[in-house]
Amino acid sequence: MRVFLVVIVLCAALVIPVHTAAKPAAWVMDNGITLILEENHLVDIIALELFQRGGMLYEEEENAGISRLLARSLDKGTMKRDAAEIAVAFDDLGAAFGVQILPDFTGLSLRAPGETFLSALEILSEILTEPVFPADEVKREQVLFIEDIRRSRDEPFVALYDTFREVFYRDHSYRLAESGREEAVSSITREKLVEFFHRHWVGENIVVSLVGNFEIESMRGKIEQLFAGIRDAPVPDYHSLPEKAPDEPEQVSEEAAIYSTWLMVGYPAPPAAHPDYAAMRVINALLGHGGSSRLFLEVRGRRGLAYSAFSFYPTRMHPSHLVGYAIVDPGNEEEAIEAMQEVIEALKQEVVGEEEIARARNIVIGEHLLAQETRSGRAWRLGWMETMRRGFDYVDTLVNEVEDVDAGDIQRVAREYFNVPTVVVRGPGGG
Amino acid sequence: MMRMGIAFMIIIFFAVMLLAEAGAVEFEYREEVLDNGFRILVEEVPGPGIVSMGVWVAVGSAHEEEEEAGIAHFLEHMLLKGTETRPPGRIQEEIASLGGRMNGATSFEYTYYFLTLPGHFWKEGLDVLADIMLNPSFDPQEFTREREVVLREIDEREDSPGSRVARLFYESLFDHHPYGRPIIGYREVVKELGREDLIRFYEEHYHPENMLLIITGDIDAESVIAQAKKWFENVPVGQPPRVYRPSEPPLKGVRLAEEEADIRSVYWMMGFHAPSQEETQEAYALSMAVSILGGGRSSRLYRSVREEQGLVSSISSSYLPLPDAGAAMVRVIVSPENQEMAKSAVREEIGRFLEEGPTEEEMERARTMIASSLLFSMEGASGRRNQYGYFGVSNNLQYLRGYLEGVHRVTVCEVLEVSRKYLSTDDYLLAVLRPLKEVE
């Protein structure tokens, strides 16, 4: 059975198709916007994903959360419509509009049936080119945002991960709570918000990606017409520069009145555009993706210390982190931390077998493929990789890079990165 | 896995309850019923080379007795642990090796096991899925270990405010009916369950006539059905036990259920009894009502309570139709200082709706939103699998198919009538999870 499995695995790596529709095409518009278009006529849906590169990289302690407040306020009024009219107009068209704020970018998404998409696109272009940020609406969003910041720490994972980043990064804006800082958000004025928008939402900082039921040439013309009003101006420098990884191990414990103890064990990891990116993705799959991963088998399976034991490796423009996390019974945290460190750091000494690597490669490739099942998923990945400075075509070449990762790469990358752990614990009695 | 289960239930629920309108979505599935009652539903969905499949079993927490609460969910865990030929760990490893992902989920009325993987591995995926369903090993060592895992999962869910207030909501809304018991079960019951209890429950309920296999994606339907038959056509017929389902007395006055937690915001759910899936026309009309009230950013509750009055950071309404009964709800997250004003504002908005009813403009908007929600939710193979499973397992695919036309036909009067029958500003449940006093 084992031999048979290996054969399947190796074949799988060779034949998995990433995407079967037409190839994407890209242009840089006159105002600097990067536009990526891909036709897909199987279903009458068009999905747009827009990325404003920078996001929290432009933030510092004093204005932490301004990107999020801006995104929340963006659709609260244009020169032609107020907030209610915008909401009603999108809903009347059956269009789904959303915002997403991640450390490296602010994202806007729009999805609509083909027949109403262009009308929805006109509303989006108004939001981007003629926002008025009404003072009362901004004020209300500010108050609700502060409530959300307080609430975000009700979830143990969010609270623990905020603490992890605070310990792991010293000056970089990645250390700021992704949900924002209450004091900083309180001090943001409408004027600062408008100024932030005009400085940072400039063409060269924007990537727009569309996939769906359209003809490329006519959609390109429409986007160029509707988005021409976005300013063509120099891109400001980021507040944060890439930061050196911690050089001393650190462990921090927090007390919370919860039933279980949550813990994270993290190490430095490469940014998206680094040559080690694909290898670290494979390592992450091998360590902590699903029920057959090393962390799961050791911490939950063999030692029975946890219900959940996984790892994650966020794709970032600047140096990132690989984190193993587990949820354990209070009292088990020290054993779990030790076990997790052992599992992760074992990769430095051990030559991982081909069968296990092949499985991990296929996890990364399969996940990549499954994430592109919908038009939104595909558009998001294309735009995301362009935003992260890997280029949109990396979405289709990532597979080759992952397939090339071997045991030597894994050991080399593990030795390079898995040396100084950062540990955070949250639970009853401080874990 | 329970976390996954609940998550999926909500996804399906929103998808289905916010969907409707005719013309936008096509149903092109093929359904076959084998001689032993096992059902197979297959649909070719061209796309990026993906296949989604799952087996839905018509047994969930509502089929349990009080003294075995949690057994359906525990069994779901155990089925994924191993089979007679696949030792513990092998199932997940095999699916991961194929570039796929697999999980299980348990709800009130069903349990399901699902996977998504590259399309050309459909046969290998089906092989694993069928083996899980038909040849579980119930490994004694794994059983002991998995019980600890389930107990931790119970604690983990209690640490999440959203899950905890939902548990409080259902146990208070359904005082008599088993929908009131937590799907994940009670800690003290799970501790006492034995391996033989799980085997008995499996033998009682996992019969072919209780199962539905769904496969959607880049496949050839003919070949898939032929392969599925090889696996399932010889499974012997059984007779699942009947479970007593008491009816639920109506809510009278305000039923308050409160708990405290180490949190900063107040989470509350206002609830009403609502029509079951069987009461189709009422269900369609109530779907429209909850969409107009709190189904999007142009909805009444969102505009009034969040946008105009700025009282809450999150508000929505929804409706879950189940085979025996339904639940309509308004979910709110609010700061402790605003909670009373928010309650009044929600009651006022519901009262206004019950007084005036919806406008034609709102009806049209709800139909459009519902139509595109359906389109989006059924865009890919996984979304279609979930919709078919949710309704198909209770033999109610007609509800899904008819939903498109049904919602289109619903009138203003019907929405008003059904809203007045089920929603109220006097008789409702209020489930509240609030901060510990010292935190407040």
Side-chain angles (χ1 to χ4, degrees), chain A residues 63 66-67 69-71 73-74 76-79 130-143 184-199:
Chain A
N63 67 355
I66 193 166
S67 306
L69 181 58
L70 172 62
S73 307
L74 205 50
K76 298 301 175 194
T78 68
M79 306 286 272
E130 308 170 17
V132 292
F133 301 106
D136 57 336
E137 296 279 357
V138 171
K139 189 72 210 162
R140 187 176 306 124
E141 280 309 315
Q142 196 167 20
V143 171
V185 171
S186 307
S187 71
I188 298 169
T189 62
R190 178 185 173 276
E191 289 64 39
K192 285 183 186 168
L193 199 70
V194 172
E195 197 264 331
F196 192 87
F197 174 73
H198 287 303
R199 259 173 66 78

Side-chain angles (χ1 to χ4, degrees), chain B residues 191-209:
Chain B
K191 268 185 182 170
E192 297 302 319
L193 286 172
R195 176 176 170 269
E196 62 287 356
D197 295 319
L198 265 65
I199 295 173
R200 172 191 52 76
F201 196 80
Y202 170 80
E203 288 173 348
E204 281 176 0
H205 293 278
Y206 280 56
H207 297 304
E209 67 274 33

Side-chain angles (χ1 to χ4, degrees), chain A residues 140, chain B residues 303-311 341 345 348-349:
Chain A
R140 187 176 306 124
Chain B
R303 298 253 41 100
S304 166
V305 185
R306 187 194 187 281
E307 296 288 279
E308 286 161 24
Q309 301 179 63
L311 292 172
M341 281 187 293
E348 204 172 295
E349 209 50 55

Side-chain angles (χ1 to χ4, degrees), chain B residues 348-389:
Chain B
E348 204 172 295
E349 209 50 55
I350 291 174
R352 188 174 300 126
F353 184 74
L354 296 178
E355 181 69 30
E356 300 166 355
T359 64
E360 279 296 350
E361 195 186 338
E362 286 175 318
M363 293 285 287
E364 197 47 44
R365 184 174 308 127
R367 287 184 194 110
T368 304
M369 288 171 66
I370 281 169
S372 53
S373 293
L374 174 63
L375 184 68
F376 300 154
S377 73
M378 299 192 73
E379 181 183 350
S382 310
R384 298 184 81 85
R385 176 200 64 192
N386 292 337
Q387 298 286 13
Y388 292 144

